[in-house]
C-alpha cells in the first residue's frame, strides 16, 4: 500500500462519512419540516375552532344581556305595580276605618 493509495482510501472514507452525515442532516431537516407543517395545520384548526367557539360565546352573552334587560324591565314594572297596590290598600284601609267609625257612631245614637 503506497502512501497515495492510503490517502485515496482515507479520502474515500471521508467522502462516505460526509455523504452519510449529509443524508442524516437532510432527513432531520425533512422531519423538522414535516413537524412544522403538521403543527401549523393543527394550530390553524385550533384557531378556527376557537374562533367559532368565541363567536358562539359572544352570541350567548348578547342573548343573556338581552334577557337581563327584559327581566330588569319586568322587575321594575312589578315593583311599580306593587307600590300602586300598596297605595290603594292603604287608601282602602283608611276608607274602611272611617266607615267603621261612622257606623260605630251611628250605632251609638
Amino acid at each position: 500500500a503506497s502512501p497515495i493509495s492510503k490517502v485515496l482510501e482515507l479520502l474515500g472514507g471521508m467522502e462516505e462519512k460526509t455523504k452519510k452525515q449529509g443524508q442524516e442532516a437532510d432527513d432531520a431537516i425533512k422531519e423538522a419540516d414535516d413537524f412544522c407543517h403538521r403543527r401549523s395545520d393543527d394550530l390553524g384548526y385550533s384557531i378556527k375552532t376557537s374562533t367559532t367557539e368565541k363567536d358562539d360565546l359572544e352570541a350567548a352573552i348578547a342573548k343573556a344581556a338581552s334577557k337581563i334587560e327584559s327581566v330588569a324591565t319586568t322587575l321594575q314594572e312589578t315593583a311599580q305595580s306593587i307600590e300602586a297596590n300598596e297605595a290603594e290598600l292603604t287608601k282602602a284601609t283608611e276608607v274602611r276605618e272611617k266607615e267603621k267609625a261612622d257606623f260605630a257612631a251611628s250605632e251609638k245614637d
Side-chain angles (χ1 to χ4, degrees):
S2 72
I4 294 178
S5 64
K6 192 74 166 160
V7 169
L8 289 175
E9 185 180 318
L10 286 174
L11 286 174
M14 287 176 59
E15 180 182 17
E16 292 280 329
K17 186 177 178 182
T18 304
K19 284 181 180 180
K20 183 178 177 186
Q21 288 174 345
Q23 184 61 46
E24 289 172 356
D26 286 346
D27 292 346
I29 290 170
K30 181 168 177 10
E31 186 177 326
D33 186 54
D34 289 345
F35 171 79
C36 288
H37 283 293
R38 282 192 311 274
R39 184 71 176 140
S40 175
D41 291 344
D42 291 347
L43 289 174
Y45 177 76
S46 179
I47 289 169
K48 183 178 180 182
T49 302
S50 296
T51 301
T52 300
E53 184 178 347
K54 177 184 143 291
D55 293 343
D56 291 346
L57 290 173
E58 286 175 346
I61 289 169
K63 184 177 179 182
S66 174
K67 181 70 173 176
I68 288 170
E69 190 175 317
S70 172
V71 169
T73 301
T74 303
L75 180 62
Q76 184 179 9
E77 290 170 356
T78 303
Q80 290 171 348
S81 177
I82 289 171
E83 189 177 311
N85 289 340
E86 286 175 346
E88 287 179 26
L89 178 62
T90 301
K91 189 174 181 180
T93 301
E94 290 172 1
V95 169
R96 299 287 182 262
E97 287 174 1
K98 184 178 181 311
E99 289 174 350
K100 179 181 174 184
D102 290 346
F103 177 75
S106 70
E107 286 289 312
K108 281 186 181 181
D109 292 338

